[in-house]
């Protein structure tokens, strides 16, 4: 998964990028940091929700 980071623009605004691709731009620094934290948390939740399904499909379960 590409790294999510905040980069500053030339006009004093900031953008949130996933790898080299911008997700959103034109934000203040605080807004950009909050948005990046939200994107990271939502990605973590999506990965966590997939783990039990993957374990079930492999037949792994409590013994």
């Amino acid at each position: 998964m590409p790294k999510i980071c905040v980069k500053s623009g030339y006009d004093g605004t900031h953008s949130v990028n996933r790898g080299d691709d911008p997700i959103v731009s034109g934000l203040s620094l605080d807004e950009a940091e909050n948005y990046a934290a939200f994107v990271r948390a939502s990605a973590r939740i999506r990965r966590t929700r997939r783990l039990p399904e993957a374990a079930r499909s492999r037949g792994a379960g409590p013994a």
Side-chain angles (χ1 to χ4, degrees):
M1 174 161 214
K3 184 177 178 179
I4 298 168
C5 61
V6 174
K7 294 186 178 180
S8 62
Y10 297 108
D11 58 354
T13 62
H14 295 78
S15 65
V16 178
N17 296 348
R18 181 180 290 130
D20 290 331
D21 301 324
I23 299 172
V24 66
S25 61
L27 303 175
S28 70
L29 178 59
D30 288 338
E31 292 170 333
E33 287 176 345
N34 288 338
Y35 193 88
F38 171 76
V39 171
R40 288 183 194 113
S42 65
R44 190 176 310 121
I45 289 168
R46 262 187 263 121
R47 280 194 310 266
T48 303
R49 286 185 179 169
R50 284 190 205 137
L51 288 175
E53 294 171 12
R56 271 187 256 134
S57 67
R58 282 185 272 160

